[in-house]
Amino acid sequence: EEIRASAESVGRMFGIPGRNVQTLDFACSGSLEALRIAAENVRAGAKRVLVIASERPTDHLEHPTLDRKLTPLFGDGASAVLVEKNGENPLLYLRTGTVSDPEKVIQYDHRIFTNVRGEEKEGIVRTMQSDKGHILFRSGVDGMSAMLHEAGEHVSLARGQEEPRLLVPHQPNGRMIDLIGVSCEDMLEHATILKRIERTGNMVSSSIGAALAMSDIPKGISLLGTFGVAPNLREGEFSFGSAAIDWRDSQGPTTILA
């Protein structure tokens, strides 16, 4: 309810009718899922679409003394991007999806808890099964690597031998990013791996936009990758997303031309 109310409030601030406002709950891959929907709307005739991601994961994380596995990885943040139409179609590839969490790596409990700011809250609390953390880590590396390879292969078919210049993974875990780089090194020989998110922590769906906004984006093709937990809090799933964008003719990370 809070999420829907927030989206409607933002729409009213910009004078956007309620029927043109859509809310997504897709965990860490929400930015790319929203970008996919925005691009579809622009190609169908919309003049421009504003994609906003705003996250406060610290509201739902227990105090660090109680959950040392998850709490230090996250941070609050927000980002926005404007999607407009352009005949060149710099958005070369975009795919999102989910898979189930059969190992139940993340546990969900509805109870009263104390969050990272020392506030007493009632709601769903996510905690990592301490003996299964390696499964989540490995799933993130394998899943994001596979999605990025798909994006890279699509770019190769569309643009010949042109190689990506930048890889933007949303995860703040330095070891995970390094392993993804090794897994994708065959297509990233001349690419920079963006690690700016290590400064802010995992800001969930706003991570990609924030990482791009904090960086100088080289002209050429960028690959974006996401891996997230639980777009459906009660069932438990992993979400994945990948995209390939050619910044050469666009206006940089503040605007994406669909």
Side-chain angles (χ1 to χ4, degrees):
E1 294 299 327
E2 290 180 3
I3 294 175
R4 284 196 290 273
S6 297
E8 292 170 357
S9 297
V10 172
R12 285 195 295 270
M13 289 175 60
F14 286 96
I16 301 173
R19 65 181 180 277
N20 293 335
V21 176
Q22 183 173 352
T23 299
L24 294 177
D25 182 12
F26 209 66
C28 300
S29 302
S31 56
L32 295 187
E33 174 67 1
L35 179 57
R36 181 187 67 78
I37 294 172
E40 287 181 354
N41 277 273
V42 168
R43 289 166 182 162
K47 187 174 181 179
R48 60 177 63 92
V49 179
L50 180 63
V51 174
I52 301 175
S54 178
E55 301 283 359
R56 285 188 60 173
T58 54
D59 276 346
H60 307 287
L61 290 169
E62 284 202 282
H63 196 274
T65 57
L66 299 175
D67 186 6
R68 293 188 176 90
K69 292 287 185 180
L70 285 180
T71 303
L73 295 176
F74 289 86
D76 299 336
S79 62
V81 63
L82 188 64
V83 183
E84 297 181 329
K85 189 168 183 60
N86 179 280
E88 297 298 322
N89 193 22
L91 184 57
L92 305 177
Y93 175 88
L94 201 161
R95 181 185 168 217
T96 58
T98 64
V99 294
S100 64
D101 174 15
E103 299 289 340
K104 306 302 180 187
V105 176
I106 302 295
Q107 180 176 319
Y108 307 93
D109 299 306
H110 190 281
R111 55 183 168 81
I112 296 174
F113 65 99
T114 301
N115 68 14
V116 297
R117 285 184 289 277
E119 302 165 338
E120 193 172 86
K121 295 273 188 175
E122 180 179 358
I124 296 175
V125 183
R126 291 182 251 190
T127 55
M128 183 184 295
Q129 297 292 329
S130 59
D131 61 335
K132 295 181 179 179
H134 66 283
I135 298 174
L136 179 62
F137 183 90
R138 194 69 251 174
S139 297
V141 172
D142 293 345
M144 196 184 300
S145 297
M147 292 288 282
L148 288 169
H149 268 108
E150 280 191 26
E153 289 171 3
H154 186 90
V155 169
S156 179
L157 290 173
R159 295 294 177 93
Q161 298 302 310
E162 187 173 353
E163 297 182 1
R165 306 297 301 177
L166 185 70
L167 170 64
V168 189
H170 99 276
Q171 290 285 351
N173 187 305
R175 182 164 167 256
M176 179 181 284
I177 294 174
D178 290 339
L179 287 174
I180 291 169
V182 170
S183 178
C184 300
E185 63 183 355
D186 56 318
M187 64 177 184
L188 297 175
E189 183 178 354
H190 302 293
T192 298
I193 300 178
L194 190 59
K195 294 186 179 182
R196 287 295 182 87
I197 193 174
E198 288 181 328
R199 294 166 45 187
T200 61
N202 185 341
M203 294 186 293
V204 198
S205 66
S206 60
S207 296
I208 289 284
L212 290 171
M214 291 189 292
S215 306
D216 294 325
I217 308 301
K219 289 187 176 181
I221 296 170
S222 294
L223 297 182
L224 317 179
T226 60
F227 165 76
V229 175
N232 183 321
L233 290 178
R234 297 194 180 281
E235 293 183 10
E237 293 178 313
F238 297 143
S239 66
F240 296 100
S242 63
I245 300 175
D246 188 349
W247 300 113
R248 184 175 294 109
D249 301 316
S250 77
Q251 300 171 42
T254 57
T255 304
I256 293 177
L257 305 172

